[in-house]
Amino acid sequence: MAKKTAILVIADGSEEMEAVITVDVLRRAGIAVTVAGVWDANCVKCSRDIKICTDARFTDATCDKSYDIVILPGGLSGSKALASSVEVGRLLEEQDRENKLIAAICAAPIALKAHNIGKGKRITSYPTMKNDLCNDYKYVEEKVVIDGNIITSQGPATAFDFGLTIVEILLNKETALTVAKAMLYENYK
C-alpha cells in the first residue's frame, strides 16, 4: 500500500499549535506530511510570533502533485490569508472535485467558505467564527466534525483530536489509538 500523503498549508498568522500538533500526530502515524507556506516562504511567522520553517515552497509542493488530504490550520490572520489566496483556492477546488479529504481547524473554515468548499455540510470552528459560517453550513458545536470529505475542528485544544481523527480516516482506528497511547493522550476513543 502506498504511503498516505498530506499537505499542511500555512501563512503568516497561522496558529502554531494547530499546525505543529497536527503535523506531529500525522508523522507519528507514518503519514508523509509536507508543510508549505502559501507565499512560498521558507519560514512563516505564526500568530504567537513563533516561526515555522516550511518543507517546500507552495508552488513546488503543489505542482503536478496530489495529496490524500489538504490541511488548513487556523489563526485568524493566517486563515484570512488562506481565504484570499487564489492558489489555495485552486488546490481546495481540485481536492474537492476529486472528493479527497480537506481538513480545517479553528478559523480556517472561513477559507473553505471563501473558496466555496463544502457549502451546506456540517462543520465546526473556533466559536467566534460561528456567525460567519452558519448561513452557509450546518454549524455543530463539537470538537471534530466530519461530513463527507470535510473534517473541521474547533481550535488549539482540539488539535490532538483533529490530528488523530485524520489518522483514523486515512489509516485506521487502531493506528490512531496506538499513536494516542504513545503520546499519553487518553481522551481519544
Side-chain angles (χ1 to χ4, degrees), residues 8-11 13-26 28 33 35 44-52 71-76 104-107 126 153-164 166 183 185:
L8 182 128
V9 184
I10 59 175
S14 288
E15 212 301 322
E16 44 274 81
M17 284 178 60
E18 296 161 359
V20 171
I21 290 169
T22 304
V23 170
D24 182 271
V25 169
L26 270 60
R28 285 174 189 259
V33 182
V35 177
V44 171
K45 187 175 181 182
C46 292
S47 62
R48 304 299 179 275
D49 294 332
I50 294 173
K51 292 182 181 174
I52 296 178
I71 304 166
L72 308 178
L76 187 57
I105 185 170
C106 192
Y126 195 78
S153 189
Q154 293 178 316
T158 65
F160 284 102
D161 290 291
F162 181 63
L164 290 164
I166 293 168
M183 294 187 304
Y185 187 72

Side-chain angles (χ1 to χ4, degrees), residues 91-134:
L91 176 64
L92 292 172
E93 288 165 4
E94 181 179 320
Q95 195 81 357
D96 196 43
R97 192 171 37 255
E98 295 177 10
N99 202 35
K100 290 184 174 181
L101 294 172
I102 297 170
I105 185 170
C106 192
I110 65 169
L112 301 181
K113 178 182 174 181
H115 299 296
N116 295 308
I117 303 298
K119 297 267 177 102
K121 290 188 175 185
R122 295 173 64 244
I123 67 160
T124 195
S125 69
Y126 195 78
T128 59
M129 299 287 101
K130 180 180 180 178
N131 290 338
D132 293 328
L133 299 166
C134 65

Side-chain angles (χ1 to χ4, degrees), residues 5-9 23 27 31-36 54-57 61 67:
T5 59
I7 184 170
L8 182 128
V9 184
V23 170
R27 287 183 177 169
I31 297 167
V33 182
T34 301
V35 177
T54 60
D55 297 318
R57 296 179 172 279
Y67 296 89

Side-chain angles (χ1 to χ4, degrees), residues 62-105:
T62 57
C63 181
D64 297 326
K65 294 179 185 165
S66 66
Y67 296 89
D68 294 302
I69 188 166
V70 173
I71 304 166
L72 308 178
L76 187 57
S77 295
S79 296
K80 286 179 178 179
L82 299 174
S84 68
S85 169
V86 173
E87 293 81 12
V88 169
R90 278 195 281 256
L91 176 64
L92 292 172
E93 288 165 4
E94 181 179 320
Q95 195 81 357
D96 196 43
R97 192 171 37 255
E98 295 177 10
N99 202 35
K100 290 184 174 181
L101 294 172
I102 297 170
I105 185 170

